Amino acid sequence: MSEDSLFQVRCWGARGTMSVCGDEFRQFGGNTICIEVRCGDHVLIFDAGSGLPNAAKALAAEGVKDFNLFFSHCHYDHICGLPHFKPMYLPGFTVGFWSGHLAGTMTTREMIYGYIRPPWFPVAPDICRASMSTVDFKAGDVLEPFPNLSIKTGALVHPGGAIGYRVDWGGRSIAVITDTEHTPGELDPVVLDLIRDVDLFLYDTTYLEDEMETYRGYGHSTWEQAVKLAETAGAKRVGFMHHSPTRTDAELLEMEKLATKRFAGAFCAFEGQKIDI
């Protein structure tokens, strides 16, 4: 595959709620959500969880100086890596920030400045020397950050709102669906639309079905629901992510084993994973 046609997903963090460490979490990793999508020369990053600093370090070492970061929402586990995103602080880098989950109530710039500031962080973004821009959109908008690259958006079911994304490029497609909660016995039409015939979608599988009643309203879903969505939408592959911080490697392997019996293209995403589309 040539560099120009490269369409690759790279997982820098697959955990949800909070980062974890320890022997029981080595295989799937402990950093929270950060997904890199490489479309030729273009680098898209979805969410700024604790995996973001590692992503930035590796990409900068490759000579990448132009970043576009898309927020699903701004709960701590999805933004905790943002103050440590080194390219923001360095001249010669270009960083674009995109968000739509707070459309009409808070801009992307207000969100960033509200989080990165004293007393919660030593400095404000004014210290940053990169060329930075912010883009506000609303759920349902189709974004076109580059020619021939389309990003479809949709509103997910999560406290405070969240955005799901579908990236179409070069006749191929991937979707990032985190964080969202399903209604028992129903398939979310917004999610179905985002994942229709997709090559790969990543989906929030924080809970098991027998845990859902306890955590109803927390805004998360299950691997069983992911498989139902994949089958109905004609998706080729589905990767489970936003793993519960209490879910061990052994438990995730068992989840994956059960899921692949139902849908051959199912797997648990792990930190460091690369997937060519």
Side-chain angles (χ1 to χ4, degrees), residues 21-49:
C21 64
D23 290 340
E24 293 181 307
F25 309 106
R26 292 188 186 280
Q27 184 167 346
F28 291 93
N31 279 313
T32 59
I33 299 293
C34 181
I35 305 297
E36 172 197 342
V37 178
R38 189 77 65 95
C39 304
D41 293 331
H42 306 307
V43 176
L44 315 177
I45 296 177
F46 293 89
D47 277 346

mmCIF file of all heavy atoms in Angstrom, residues 21-49:
data_model
loop_
_atom_site.group_PDB
_atom_site.id
_atom_site.type_symbol
_atom_site.label_atom_id
_atom_site.label_comp_id
_atom_site.label_asym_id
_atom_site.label_seq_id
_atom_site.Cartn_x
_atom_site.Cartn_y
_atom_site.Cartn_z
ATOM 1 N N CYS A 21 -3.662 0.838 35.323
ATOM 2 C CA CYS A 21 -2.388 0.186 35.071
ATOM 3 C C CYS A 21 -2.313 -1.085 35.913
ATOM 4 O O CYS A 21 -3.120 -1.273 36.839
ATOM 5 C CB CYS A 21 -1.201 1.099 35.369
ATOM 6 S SG CYS A 21 -1.062 1.578 37.098
ATOM 7 N N GLY A 22 -1.363 -1.954 35.569
ATOM 8 C CA GLY A 22 -1.204 -3.187 36.324
ATOM 9 C C GLY A 22 -1.126 -4.388 35.408
ATOM 10 O O GLY A 22 -1.437 -4.313 34.211
ATOM 11 N N ASP A 23 -0.705 -5.496 35.968
ATOM 12 C CA ASP A 23 -0.495 -6.713 35.185
ATOM 13 C C ASP A 23 -1.762 -7.200 34.499
ATOM 14 O O ASP A 23 -1.695 -7.822 33.436
ATOM 15 C CB ASP A 23 0.055 -7.829 36.089
ATOM 16 C CG ASP A 23 1.482 -7.552 36.541
ATOM 17 O OD1 ASP A 23 2.159 -6.731 35.885
ATOM 18 O OD2 ASP A 23 1.918 -8.145 37.547
ATOM 19 N N GLU A 24 -2.924 -6.930 35.086
ATOM 20 C CA GLU A 24 -4.179 -7.434 34.532
ATOM 21 C C GLU A 24 -4.661 -6.636 33.316
ATOM 22 O O GLU A 24 -5.640 -7.021 32.683
ATOM 23 C CB GLU A 24 -5.271 -7.408 35.605
ATOM 24 C CG GLU A 24 -5.040 -8.376 36.751
ATOM 25 C CD GLU A 24 -6.172 -8.322 37.754
ATOM 26 O OE1 GLU A 24 -6.485 -7.206 38.209
ATOM 27 O OE2 GLU A 24 -6.743 -9.383 38.056
ATOM 28 N N PHE A 25 -3.956 -5.545 33.001
ATOM 29 C CA PHE A 25 -4.415 -4.658 31.929
ATOM 30 C C PHE A 25 -3.368 -4.439 30.845
ATOM 31 O O PHE A 25 -3.491 -3.531 30.030
ATOM 32 C CB PHE A 25 -4.823 -3.304 32.523
ATOM 33 C CG PHE A 25 -5.780 -3.406 33.681
ATOM 34 C CD1 PHE A 25 -5.350 -3.174 34.978
ATOM 35 C CD2 PHE A 25 -7.109 -3.736 33.471
ATOM 36 C CE1 PHE A 25 -6.223 -3.272 36.052
ATOM 37 C CE2 PHE A 25 -7.996 -3.845 34.534
ATOM 38 C CZ PHE A 25 -7.554 -3.618 35.826
ATOM 39 N N ARG A 26 -2.334 -5.250 30.815
ATOM 40 C CA ARG A 26 -1.223 -5.020 29.892
ATOM 41 C C ARG A 26 -1.595 -5.283 28.436
ATOM 42 O O ARG A 26 -1.154 -4.571 27.534
ATOM 43 C CB ARG A 26 -0.021 -5.893 30.288
ATOM 44 C CG ARG A 26 0.621 -5.491 31.598
ATOM 45 C CD ARG A 26 1.912 -6.235 31.858
ATOM 46 N NE ARG A 26 2.437 -5.946 33.185
ATOM 47 C CZ ARG A 26 3.111 -4.866 33.503
ATOM 48 N NH1 ARG A 26 3.359 -3.963 32.575
ATOM 49 N NH2 ARG A 26 3.545 -4.680 34.732
ATOM 50 N N GLN A 27 -2.380 -6.314 28.180
ATOM 51 C CA GLN A 27 -2.643 -6.711 26.795
ATOM 52 C C GLN A 27 -3.494 -5.680 26.048
ATOM 53 O O GLN A 27 -3.228 -5.366 24.890
ATOM 54 C CB GLN A 27 -3.333 -8.079 26.753
ATOM 55 C CG GLN A 27 -3.541 -8.599 25.338
ATOM 56 C CD GLN A 27 -3.935 -10.068 25.305
ATOM 57 O OE1 GLN A 27 -3.811 -10.784 26.303
ATOM 58 N NE2 GLN A 27 -4.410 -10.526 24.168
ATOM 59 N N PHE A 28 -4.509 -5.140 26.716
ATOM 60 C CA PHE A 28 -5.405 -4.193 26.043
ATOM 61 C C PHE A 28 -5.104 -2.744 26.402
ATOM 62 O O PHE A 28 -5.584 -1.834 25.743
ATOM 63 C CB PHE A 28 -6.862 -4.550 26.353
ATOM 64 C CG PHE A 28 -7.288 -5.834 25.707
ATOM 65 C CD1 PHE A 28 -7.191 -7.034 26.392
ATOM 66 C CD2 PHE A 28 -7.735 -5.857 24.395
ATOM 67 C CE1 PHE A 28 -7.555 -8.229 25.792
ATOM 68 C CE2 PHE A 28 -8.100 -7.043 23.786
ATOM 69 C CZ PHE A 28 -8.003 -8.243 24.482
ATOM 70 N N GLY A 29 -4.271 -2.538 27.408
ATOM 71 C CA GLY A 29 -3.811 -1.197 27.719
ATOM 72 C C GLY A 29 -4.701 -0.466 28.699
ATOM 73 O O GLY A 29 -5.860 -0.834 28.920
ATOM 74 N N GLY A 30 -4.134 0.595 29.286
ATOM 75 C CA GLY A 30 -4.837 1.329 30.314
ATOM 76 C C GLY A 30 -5.158 2.765 29.990
ATOM 77 O O GLY A 30 -5.852 3.440 30.752
ATOM 78 N N ASN A 31 -4.670 3.295 28.847
ATOM 79 C CA ASN A 31 -4.943 4.689 28.500
ATOM 80 C C ASN A 31 -6.350 4.860 27.944
ATOM 81 O O ASN A 31 -6.891 3.964 27.291
ATOM 82 C CB ASN A 31 -3.924 5.195 27.478
ATOM 83 C CG ASN A 31 -2.616 5.606 28.130
ATOM 84 O OD1 ASN A 31 -2.623 6.319 29.127
ATOM 85 N ND2 ASN A 31 -1.506 5.143 27.582
ATOM 86 N N THR A 32 -6.919 6.042 28.218
ATOM 87 C CA THR A 32 -8.284 6.306 27.756
ATOM 88 C C THR A 32 -8.284 6.784 26.298
ATOM 89 O O THR A 32 -7.258 7.086 25.711
ATOM 90 C CB THR A 32 -8.994 7.315 28.670
ATOM 91 O OG1 THR A 32 -8.263 8.548 28.699
ATOM 92 C CG2 THR A 32 -9.128 6.760 30.075
ATOM 93 N N ILE A 33 -9.487 6.889 25.752
ATOM 94 C CA ILE A 33 -9.727 6.948 24.317
ATOM 95 C C ILE A 33 -8.907 7.998 23.564
ATOM 96 O O ILE A 33 -8.930 9.197 23.875
ATOM 97 C CB ILE A 33 -11.219 7.202 24.025
ATOM 98 C CG1 ILE A 33 -12.090 6.073 24.589
ATOM 99 C CG2 ILE A 33 -11.469 7.361 22.524
ATOM 100 C CD1 ILE A 33 -11.911 4.739 23.924
ATOM 101 N N CYS A 34 -8.185 7.517 22.575
ATOM 102 C CA CYS A 34 -7.489 8.360 21.603
ATOM 103 C C CYS A 34 -7.273 7.511 20.361
ATOM 104 O O CYS A 34 -6.553 6.508 20.405
ATOM 105 C CB CYS A 34 -6.162 8.872 22.150
ATOM 106 S SG CYS A 34 -5.278 9.936 20.974
ATOM 107 N N ILE A 35 -7.925 7.889 19.267
ATOM 108 C CA ILE A 35 -7.899 7.109 18.031
ATOM 109 C C ILE A 35 -7.333 7.962 16.899
ATOM 110 O O ILE A 35 -7.876 9.030 16.582
ATOM 111 C CB ILE A 35 -9.311 6.624 17.640
ATOM 112 C CG1 ILE A 35 -9.955 5.835 18.796
ATOM 113 C CG2 ILE A 35 -9.253 5.793 16.370
ATOM 114 C CD1 ILE A 35 -9.241 4.568 19.180
ATOM 115 N N GLU A 36 -6.249 7.498 16.309
ATOM 116 C CA GLU A 36 -5.657 8.164 15.143
ATOM 117 C C GLU A 36 -6.208 7.534 13.865
ATOM 118 O O GLU A 36 -6.277 6.311 13.752
ATOM 119 C CB GLU A 36 -4.140 8.009 15.170
ATOM 120 C CG GLU A 36 -3.422 8.495 13.909
ATOM 121 C CD GLU A 36 -2.003 7.958 13.805
ATOM 122 O OE1 GLU A 36 -1.452 7.501 14.833
ATOM 123 O OE2 GLU A 36 -1.446 7.974 12.683
ATOM 124 N N VAL A 37 -6.605 8.361 12.932
ATOM 125 C CA VAL A 37 -7.021 7.892 11.610
ATOM 126 C C VAL A 37 -6.131 8.579 10.583
ATOM 127 O O VAL A 37 -6.132 9.809 10.481
ATOM 128 C CB VAL A 37 -8.512 8.193 11.328
ATOM 129 C CG1 VAL A 37 -8.889 7.744 9.925
ATOM 130 C CG2 VAL A 37 -9.399 7.495 12.360
ATOM 131 N N ARG A 38 -5.376 7.795 9.853
ATOM 132 C CA ARG A 38 -4.453 8.324 8.836
ATOM 133 C C ARG A 38 -5.076 8.145 7.460
ATOM 134 O O ARG A 38 -5.366 7.032 7.029
ATOM 135 C CB ARG A 38 -3.125 7.581 8.912
ATOM 136 C CG ARG A 38 -2.011 8.179 8.044
ATOM 137 C CD ARG A 38 -1.417 9.421 8.675
ATOM 138 N NE ARG A 38 -0.727 9.127 9.921
ATOM 139 C CZ ARG A 38 0.586 8.900 9.986
ATOM 140 N NH1 ARG A 38 1.342 8.951 8.917
ATOM 141 N NH2 ARG A 38 1.144 8.652 11.163
ATOM 142 N N CYS A 39 -5.290 9.251 6.769
ATOM 143 C CA CYS A 39 -5.834 9.248 5.406
ATOM 144 C C CYS A 39 -4.757 9.829 4.488
ATOM 145 O O CYS A 39 -4.707 11.051 4.288
ATOM 146 C CB CYS A 39 -7.113 10.070 5.325
ATOM 147 S SG CYS A 39 -8.414 9.573 6.455
ATOM 148 N N GLY A 40 -3.909 8.975 3.967
ATOM 149 C CA GLY A 40 -2.780 9.472 3.198
ATOM 150 C C GLY A 40 -1.885 10.318 4.090
ATOM 151 O O GLY A 40 -1.414 9.864 5.130
ATOM 152 N N ASP A 41 -1.699 11.584 3.698
ATOM 153 C CA ASP A 41 -0.868 12.504 4.480
ATOM 154 C C ASP A 41 -1.628 13.175 5.615
ATOM 155 O O ASP A 41 -1.022 13.877 6.435
ATOM 156 C CB ASP A 41 -0.297 13.598 3.568
ATOM 157 C CG ASP A 41 0.698 13.060 2.551
ATOM 158 O OD1 ASP A 41 1.354 12.044 2.865
ATOM 159 O OD2 ASP A 41 0.815 13.650 1.461
ATOM 160 N N HIS A 42 -2.928 12.989 5.655
ATOM 161 C CA HIS A 42 -3.744 13.690 6.637
ATOM 162 C C HIS A 42 -3.868 12.878 7.920
ATOM 163 O O HIS A 42 -4.106 11.668 7.888
ATOM 164 C CB HIS A 42 -5.138 13.971 6.076
ATOM 165 C CG HIS A 42 -5.126 14.701 4.763
ATOM 166 N ND1 HIS A 42 -4.437 15.882 4.575
ATOM 167 C CD2 HIS A 42 -5.705 14.408 3.565
ATOM 168 C CE1 HIS A 42 -4.596 16.296 3.332
ATOM 169 N NE2 HIS A 42 -5.355 15.415 2.699
ATOM 170 N N VAL A 43 -3.717 13.557 9.055
ATOM 171 C CA VAL A 43 -3.810 12.910 10.362
ATOM 172 C C VAL A 43 -5.019 13.465 11.117
ATOM 173 O O VAL A 43 -5.086 14.664 11.400
ATOM 174 C CB VAL A 43 -2.534 13.127 11.188
ATOM 175 C CG1 VAL A 43 -2.699 12.528 12.592
ATOM 176 C CG2 VAL A 43 -1.334 12.494 10.495
ATOM 177 N N LEU A 44 -5.959 12.585 11.407
ATOM 178 C CA LEU A 44 -7.121 12.930 12.216
ATOM 179 C C LEU A 44 -6.996 12.205 13.555
ATOM 180 O O LEU A 44 -6.621 11.038 13.601
ATOM 181 C CB LEU A 44 -8.426 12.484 11.530
ATOM 182 C CG LEU A 44 -8.579 12.769 10.034
ATOM 183 C CD1 LEU A 44 -9.898 12.199 9.535
ATOM 184 C CD2 LEU A 44 -8.493 14.269 9.758
ATOM 185 N N ILE A 45 -7.308 12.897 14.636
ATOM 186 C CA ILE A 45 -7.289 12.283 15.957
ATOM 187 C C ILE A 45 -8.664 12.461 16.587
ATOM 188 O O ILE A 45 -9.211 13.578 16.608
ATOM 189 C CB ILE A 45 -6.214 12.909 16.855
ATOM 190 C CG1 ILE A 45 -4.823 12.644 16.276
ATOM 191 C CG2 ILE A 45 -6.297 12.343 18.278
ATOM 192 C CD1 ILE A 45 -3.698 13.288 17.055
ATOM 193 N N PHE A 46 -9.221 11.360 17.071
ATOM 194 C CA PHE A 46 -10.526 11.400 17.707
ATOM 195 C C PHE A 46 -10.357 11.176 19.208
ATOM 196 O O PHE A 46 -9.949 10.111 19.659
ATOM 197 C CB PHE A 46 -11.449 10.351 17.080
ATOM 198 C CG PHE A 46 -11.786 10.669 15.651
ATOM 199 C CD1 PHE A 46 -10.971 10.219 14.622
ATOM 200 C CD2 PHE A 46 -12.873 11.468 15.339
ATOM 201 C CE1 PHE A 46 -11.251 10.537 13.297
ATOM 202 C CE2 PHE A 46 -13.157 11.804 14.020
ATOM 203 C CZ PHE A 46 -12.346 11.338 12.998
ATOM 204 N N ASP A 47 -10.641 12.212 19.946
ATOM 205 C CA ASP A 47 -10.593 12.289 21.405
ATOM 206 C C ASP A 47 -9.177 12.442 21.948
ATOM 207 O O ASP A 47 -8.196 11.988 21.359
ATOM 208 C CB ASP A 47 -11.327 11.138 22.066
ATOM 209 C CG ASP A 47 -12.835 11.422 22.150
ATOM 210 O OD1 ASP A 47 -13.234 12.584 21.951
ATOM 211 O OD2 ASP A 47 -13.608 10.486 22.407
ATOM 212 N N ALA A 48 -9.143 13.109 23.100
ATOM 213 C CA ALA A 48 -7.877 13.519 23.713
ATOM 214 C C ALA A 48 -7.706 12.873 25.076
ATOM 215 O O ALA A 48 -7.354 13.532 26.049
ATOM 216 C CB ALA A 48 -7.837 15.044 23.830
ATOM 217 N N GLY A 49 -7.976 11.555 25.133
ATOM 218 C CA GLY A 49 -7.782 10.827 26.373
ATOM 219 C C GLY A 49 -6.317 10.728 26.742
ATOM 220 O O GLY A 49 -5.446 11.344 26.122
#
